[in-house]
Amino acid sequence: ELKVEQNPLFLSMQEGKNYTIYCNYSTTSDRLYWYRQDPGKSLESLFVLLSNGAVKQEGRLMASLDTKARLSTLHITAAVHDLSATYFCAVVDAGNMLTFGGGTRLMVKP
Amino acid sequence: DAGVTQSPTHLIKTRGQQVTLRCSPKSGHDTVSWYQQALGQGPQFIFQYYEEEERQRGNFPDRFSGHQFPNYSSELNVNALLLGDSALYLCASSFLPFDLDTTVDGYTFGSGTRLTVV
């Protein structure tokens, strides 16, 4: 059974600071997604990572994937308040089923 | 943009009742997956429908059932509602077979249905 773990579960940071969210998964997968969710809203797709060493960047967010370590990271550079949200990683199994991590609630304070 | 449409947006039911949630997939998508997201948790996979058949099922009891119609839309039915069924129910559509060249929108999520069981 595929298991996905994120840490930290909660992150409070000052604007302008950098931080990294980690996502570990238990079995081999060929796809990993990062999503953003605002309170009471649905999931917004941020990145999909397909291969070992994949790196994608959008604005202040950068995601990377190490398939050998079964680890993905979401790095936040110079955080701003608008990035406050809950971030989920999700891994696809052989049956195209998405398994989500527990989420990281990010709060960026002025 | 014809994204994923879910209805209703909010619903309040009493324990023991039955509920039906609806999902229309994004244009061009043929697969629908349903997820349950309890407050403060990540979404949990319920089941996936493709070609009007249930292809995969998560760890949910038989009280949860579904259907996919020829137009690819889908319904989620929950019988004998429990207080613990209160959650946000998300529908996600995708296209199979998965095309690595069009992965950005691999899964498109609807806005969800907030179910409250009292």
Side-chain angles (χ1 to χ4, degrees), chain B residues 41-60:
Chain B
Q41 298 183 22
Q44 300 290 316
F45 176 75
I46 303 175
F47 41 55
Q48 182 184 79
Y49 277 85
Y50 172 66
E51 292 187 335
E52 301 180 49
E53 292 188 359
E54 183 182 293
R55 297 183 71 248
Q56 280 212 89
R57 187 178 184 92
N59 190 23
F60 279 80

Side-chain angles (χ1 to χ4, degrees), chain A residues 31 37 42 95-98, chain B residues 35 37 45 56 96 98 107 110:
Chain A
R31 276 176 284 155
Q37 187 176 40
S42 188
N96 278 316
M97 180 182 89
L98 277 174
Chain B
Y35 293 81
Q37 186 178 22
F45 176 75
Q56 280 212 89
L96 288 178
F98 186 78
Y107 297 88

Side-chain angles (χ1 to χ4, degrees), chain B residues 1-6 23-27 29 91-93 108-111:
Chain B
D1 178 16
V4 178
T5 304
Q6 289 189 244
C23 172
S24 292
K26 179 179 178 178
S27 179
H29 285 183
C91 167
S93 72
T108 302
F109 282 83
S111 298

Side-chain angles (χ1 to χ4, degrees), chain B residues 33-109:
Chain B
S33 304
W34 286 92
Y35 293 81
Q36 180 195 66
Q37 186 178 22
L39 198 61
Q41 298 183 22
Q44 300 290 316
F45 176 75
I46 303 175
F47 41 55
Q48 182 184 79
Y49 277 85
Y50 172 66
E51 292 187 335
E52 301 180 49
E53 292 188 359
E54 183 182 293
R55 297 183 71 248
Q56 280 212 89
R57 187 178 184 92
N59 190 23
F60 279 80
D62 291 344
R63 297 186 299 108
F64 290 77
S65 63
H67 188 76
Q68 186 179 34
F69 299 93
N71 67 353
Y72 309 120
S73 66
S74 177
E75 289 182 348
L76 163 65
N77 301 293
V78 186
N79 294 322
L81 284 167
L82 304 174
L83 295 179
D85 295 332
S86 295
L88 179 67
Y89 288 84
L90 295 167
C91 167
S93 72
S94 56
F95 178 74
L96 288 178
F98 186 78
D99 182 353
L100 289 177
D101 291 331
T102 59
T103 58
V104 175
D105 283 335
Y107 297 88
T108 302
F109 282 83

Side-chain angles (χ1 to χ4, degrees), chain A residues 89-110:
Chain A
C89 65
V91 179
V92 179
D93 71 5
N96 278 316
M97 180 182 89
L98 277 174
T99 299
F100 284 82
T104 297
R105 185 182 167 198
L106 172 66
M107 186 178 297
V108 181
K109 296 187 283 189

